[in-house]
Amino acid sequence: MSDEIVFYTNPMSRGRIARWMLEELGRPYRTEVLDFGTGMKAPEYLAINPMGKVPAIRHGETVVTEAAAICAYLADAFPEAGLAPPHGDPRRAPYYRWMFFAAGPLEAALSNKALGLQVPQERSRMIGYGTEADAVNALESAVSTSDYIAGDSFTAADVYVGSQIGWGMMFGTLEKRPAFERYWARLAGRPAAIRAREIDDVLTPKQPAE
């Protein structure tokens, strides 16, 4: 069975998270760039991801969608890259905890903020993130206790959490607190992060000059 990695993405999407993860992995992969219309909704791609969204990867015969899942899968599929704490290591708990906190409560809170959706205070118990303040304060605490989200070593969880923080501060959905700025600065200068940005920036359609 071929173990080729095929990466389905669009440079103006969460595919940038998976791109960064693939660059950290240091293994060859093939990129298929899909447009938001016909490409992602074509029958061929819907057979890979029925949601018609990117990113997705195909590793041999295995398909993985959702950026956080892609990060977690690749870290486990290629343990020699050292991007996940070994099974049985106590750092595995914060690694999972904060990666999926960022993919669940945090993303929901920041998305609702971007859309101007306000959860009534009396309904906050119905929402996974409670309130936006709850989610953001928890995140601040998580990135303030050590250099990386699971301790002293960079992992795939930092790819995902860092991407959420970097984008949130860039687009104004996440307050620029000092702890977030320090954490993001630690990650943004990594060679793999720079390579990933450069690749996707080249693929991003240029806006016509006014």
Side-chain angles (χ1 to χ4, degrees):
M1 181 182 73
S2 169
D3 65 351
E4 179 188 35
I5 300 172
V6 183
F7 172 42
Y8 303 91
T9 189
N10 183 289
M12 300 173 68
S13 75
R14 291 172 178 83
R16 283 183 174 251
I17 302 173
R19 170 84 71 187
W20 178 10
M21 180 64 193
L22 286 162
E23 289 297 317
E24 292 283 355
L25 205 62
R27 292 183 62 91
Y29 61 93
R30 175 164 61 86
T31 301
E32 292 201 10
V33 178
L34 304 176
D35 62 56
F36 286 101
T38 56
M40 293 184 203
K41 304 305 180 184
E44 296 80 8
Y45 185 65
L46 290 175
I48 293 167
N49 185 0
M51 289 287 290
K53 289 181 172 290
V54 292
I57 63 165
R58 191 177 70 237
H59 177 214
E61 298 302 316
T62 300
V63 171
V64 188
T65 66
E66 314 315 316
I70 290 169
C71 290
Y73 171 83
L74 290 173
D76 283 349
F78 300 99
E80 64 276 10
L83 292 169
H87 288 280
D89 188 311
R91 294 174 300 160
R92 194 85 177 182
Y95 167 81
Y96 279 138
R97 176 186 180 184
W98 295 111
M99 185 188 298
F100 294 108
F101 171 83
L106 180 65
E107 178 157 351
L110 299 186
S111 295
N112 282 351
K113 179 178 181 179
L115 294 170
L117 301 177
Q118 198 77 8
V119 178
Q121 183 65 36
E122 67 275 12
R123 296 296 184 92
S124 62
R125 288 186 297 174
M126 297 177 58
I127 304 298
Y129 62 81
T131 68
E132 180 202 340
D134 291 338
V136 173
N137 290 339
L139 179 66
E140 181 180 29
S141 174
V143 301
S144 298
T145 57
S146 57
D147 282 350
Y148 300 104
I149 205 72
D152 296 331
S153 300
F154 176 88
T155 67
D158 293 294
V159 173
Y160 194 86
V161 175
S163 295
Q164 292 283 12
I165 288 176
W167 284 355
M169 291 194 299
M170 179 186 298
F171 293 113
T173 57
L174 182 65
E175 182 183 347
K176 290 184 177 180
R177 298 182 182 182
F180 297 150
E181 293 180 312
R182 287 192 298 269
Y183 176 69
W184 176 236
R186 208 172 289 134
L187 304 183
R190 291 181 62 83
I194 294 170
R195 285 197 306 274
R197 287 197 299 272
E198 289 175 346
I199 292 168
D200 279 325
D201 286 348
V202 168
L203 294 172
T204 301
K206 301 297 184 288
Q207 296 295 326
E210 295 183 1

